[in-house]
Amino acid sequence: MLDPIFYVLAIMGCADGSDQCAEARVGQPRYASIQACQAALPAALQRNTGLAFPVIAAACRQNGAKAISRAAARIPSSAS
């Protein structure tokens, strides 16, 4: 039997001016489609600006596994 496919939203902290990011947290909501997950990215980024990284990024991941879609939006963290 196949497990149902779902998507989770991962928040990543990135070095300033770098594409190297570390996963900081994974959101609890599960999304039924990649489109629903991507629609939630802007709000998730805004909720996580307090992380201790110069840049915060987000990605939607299928079944919590390898990232399949990175958010185009990255925002500077409010932590300094």
Side-chain angles (χ1 to χ4, degrees):
M1 181 185 278
L2 294 176
D3 290 334
I5 294 175
F6 62 89
Y7 299 87
V8 294
L9 202 147
I11 301 296
M12 295 167 288
C14 306
D16 194 18
S18 174
D19 284 336
Q20 295 183 357
C21 300
E23 190 173 280
R25 42 178 85 132
V26 176
Q28 290 298 322
R30 293 181 177 184
Y31 301 93
S33 70
I34 189 71
Q35 293 84 4
C37 184
Q38 289 174 331
L41 288 174
L45 285 169
Q46 289 300 317
R47 284 192 308 273
N48 287 282
T49 58
L51 294 175
F53 292 93
V55 177
I56 305 300
C60 292
R61 298 184 180 204
Q62 185 176 4
N63 287 344
K66 191 172 184 172
I68 61 167
S69 176
R70 282 204 182 216
R74 288 181 179 212
I75 58 172
S77 175
S78 61
S80 297

